[in-house]
Amino acid sequence: MTEFAFAQSYPASRRVAAVLAAKAAALHGLSNTDREDLSQEALLELWRKAAAFDERRAGWRTYSERVVASRLSSLLRRAYSSRSGHGREDSLEGLKLTDPAPADLDLRADVRRVLDGLRPLDRSVALCLIDYSAIETGHRLGVARATVYRSIKRLRVAFMAAGLHRMPGRTA
């Protein structure tokens, strides 16, 4: 796409970026300044990727929506991961290494014992939660999300009753 064509489509592209940035900002509780920054970053990415546009594959509006949505997702994912500490490189100096578990703790056996004492649904939920979110677990098991959350509550009670609520290396 030439600069002339991009300049002609700029108002529509700006609108797409503004709408999707406003939606993302509202969803994540971001300020107006952050919303404007997201919109500008998305437009900049669209300008960078304008040369890759192929009108045989999609219309400009569809292409611009996909590029903008992808860039916004990347920006929000990076912002979230940096807030939660992912991707941060801390020095290993001064790091105190501790034994991850006391010698008398056989965690697998304890977890197996707790799971064996559960109702079949709660056991299925617990095993499914290893790999999936609560919502995905509900979909996979064919139960309502509220049912999954009630099961999680029962799982917490069962693990706490077994003395597994305080794991080594974790704080309450």
Side-chain angles (χ1 to χ4, degrees):
M1 171 175 261
T2 65
E3 283 190 38
F4 175 73
F6 183 80
Q8 283 184 318
S9 66
Y10 178 75
S13 301
R14 193 171 124 222
R15 177 76 178 144
V16 166
V19 167
L20 292 177
K23 182 178 176 184
L27 185 66
H28 294 280
L30 302 175
S31 68
N32 283 337
T33 305
D34 291 334
R35 177 186 49 80
E36 291 170 7
D37 288 345
L38 286 174
S39 180
Q40 289 174 2
E41 282 287 333
L43 271 176
L44 182 60
E45 184 71 7
L46 185 56
W47 182 74
R48 285 185 200 124
K49 294 197 175 190
F53 171 65
D54 182 0
E55 64 187 29
R56 293 171 295 174
R57 296 183 67 197
W60 175 253
R61 181 180 176 95
T62 302
Y63 180 77
S64 62
E65 286 175 353
R66 295 294 66 203
V67 169
V68 167
S70 177
R71 182 61 180 161
L72 292 175
S73 293
S74 295
L75 290 169
L76 292 168
R77 188 172 40 251
R78 184 178 307 136
Y80 174 76
S81 67
S82 66
R83 279 196 310 264
S84 64
H86 296 292
R88 187 175 58 207
E89 293 184 21
D90 293 334
S91 171
L92 295 178
E93 290 182 28
L95 181 64
K96 181 180 173 187
L97 298 176
T98 59
D99 187 12
D104 63 337
L105 178 66
D106 186 4
L107 187 58
R108 287 184 188 196
D110 290 339
V111 169
R112 198 171 296 121
R113 182 177 40 83
V114 172
L115 289 177
D116 287 343
L118 295 174
R119 297 175 4 189
L121 173 66
D122 292 346
R123 185 178 314 111
S124 297
V125 167
L127 294 173
C128 201
L129 285 171
I130 293 170
D131 296 317
Y132 303 102
S133 70
I135 294 171
E136 292 168 326
T137 295
H139 288 288
R140 289 185 169 278
L141 297 177
V143 297
R145 187 177 353 167
T147 302
V148 172
Y149 286 120
R150 282 192 297 270
S151 182
I152 290 171
K153 185 177 179 181
R154 288 189 300 270
L155 287 167
R156 284 188 179 128
V157 169
F159 279 99
M160 288 174 70
L164 297 176
H165 61 287
R166 288 188 90 53
M167 297 304 300
R170 297 190 68 180
T171 57

